Amino acid sequence: MVSVLVVDDEPRIVGLVREYLDRAGFAVLEAADGTQALDLFAEHQPDAVVLDLGLPDMDGVDLLRRLRADSSVPILVLTARADELDRVLGLELGADDYVVKPFGPRELVARIRALLRRPSLGDHLDGDVVVVGDLRIDVPKRQVSVAGAEVALTPTEFDLLETLARQPGRVFSRAQLLDAVHGVSFESYERAIDAHVKNIRRKIEPEPRRYRFVLTVHGVGYKLAET
């Protein structure tokens, strides 16, 4: 059974999330603070994490950073923080998506399902590999390398890069990329895409601010350089 670790110190929120995740067929692990979350994560290796940024023993941003340092598991940030900069910071540190409290439980479940989707090897042809200069994107294996060195991307980062790689040279708007990455249409800040692109560039671009692979088309969106 697919498992989800829910990290939140509000029992009412945890109970609500558990109820809807149970109905959706997920196994739910609960942590009320960062220390417990790290222990449960190490012991059970959950398939996804729902993480509140406001925790009693450590900042949720610090916990996010520690989880992302060791794993590419999908992470959805659940936060009451109204400042958009906090949400973008979470994305830049490796979160895959965010939901702002108060939230709709059905939407939360839909987002988790979208983050957990994984194409099987049978969904792609064996030769489904895109090469742009030193950048190599192996779609069936979900692997990315630059000059022969493998690059670790989060699931959302890979999905975003794969979308661009499917049609090198095509310009995608931020709205189109949001829809492609999440698989369903959400009202979300387009800056979320900018944060993910910033992370991808940091990992794959040889020179900061002299981008060779993921290119900006000002006023429109992004594209992958053509082979």
Side-chain angles (χ1 to χ4, degrees), residues 25 42 75 80 105 110 112 137 185 218:
I75 299 176
I112 293 171
I137 305 167
S185 197
H218 294 287

Side-chain angles (χ1 to χ4, degrees), residues 131-206:
V131 178
V132 179
D134 293 335
L135 174 66
R136 186 176 189 273
I137 305 167
D138 189 323
V139 176
K141 295 181 180 179
R142 294 181 69 83
Q143 292 178 348
V144 176
S145 62
V146 178
E150 188 167 345
V151 177
L153 298 182
T154 69
T156 296
E157 290 165 4
F158 184 89
D159 289 343
L160 177 55
L161 186 59
E162 178 190 351
T163 299
L164 296 171
R166 289 295 184 181
Q167 300 181 65
R170 174 188 167 181
V171 180
F172 288 83
S173 70
R174 290 171 177 80
Q176 288 172 322
L177 291 172
L178 277 170
D179 183 66
V181 166
H182 291 299
V184 288
S185 197
F186 291 128
E187 291 183 4
S188 185
Y189 288 93
E190 291 186 353
R191 284 192 63 186
I193 290 296
D194 295 335
H196 290 310
V197 168
K198 180 179 179 181
N199 283 342
I200 293 170
R201 283 172 165 168
R202 177 172 49 82
K203 295 176 180 181
I204 71 172
E205 295 286 356

Side-chain angles (χ1 to χ4, degrees), residues 107-121:
E107 179 187 357
L108 178 67
V109 171
R111 289 187 184 231
I112 293 171
R113 280 178 167 157
L115 291 177
L116 284 168
R117 76 187 192 280
R118 289 288 188 278
S120 66
L121 295 183

Side-chain angles (χ1 to χ4, degrees), residues 53 59-61 64 77 79-93 95 97-98 100 191 195:
L53 291 184
D59 193 292
V61 170
L64 169 60
V77 166
T79 177
R81 298 181 180 181
D83 191 342
E84 183 186 353
L85 291 177
D86 283 326
R87 300 195 289 274
V88 172
L89 174 60
L91 294 172
E92 291 182 345
L93 290 174
D97 197 5
Y98 62 83
V100 179
R191 284 192 63 186

